Amino acid sequence: MATTDNSFNGMTEHCEACGLETLHEVTVQIRTESLKEENAQFSREPYRVTECQRCGYRESQRMNNA
């Protein structure tokens, strides 16, 4: 589970690569999932993207699946 800390910008979360609770940059990205141009405008989904500030490991999760 993510927790806030006293750092300027970030959250501490468990990093799969490090195996530790580390500082992560957390963002939300809108991604187009359809490969067909005519349906692309209807296939955008939000993803939560985290990046470990210690090792650089990135992970994303579709928000509708959370």
Side-chain angles (χ1 to χ4, degrees):
M1 184 69 187
T3 59
T4 58
D5 60 14
N6 293 329
S7 65
F8 174 70
N9 182 19
M11 304 198 49
T12 55
E13 294 190 14
H14 180 77
C15 176
E16 293 294 324
C18 295
L20 303 168
E21 294 289 320
T22 59
L23 184 64
H24 281 68
E25 181 177 337
V26 180
T27 58
V28 175
Q29 295 178 351
I30 304 298
R31 297 184 183 174
T32 301
E33 295 182 335
S34 176
L35 299 176
K36 300 177 184 177
E37 286 186 37
E38 64 273 7
N39 293 330
Q41 63 186 344
F42 302 110
S43 69
R44 288 179 257 159
E45 298 292 339
Y47 280 77
R48 181 180 188 272
V49 180
T50 61
E51 182 175 348
C52 177
Q53 299 301 290
R54 182 172 183 258
C55 71
Y57 177 76
R58 290 181 60 131
E59 189 171 42
S60 63
Q61 179 182 13
R62 189 175 185 211
M63 295 299 290
N64 293 352
N65 295 346

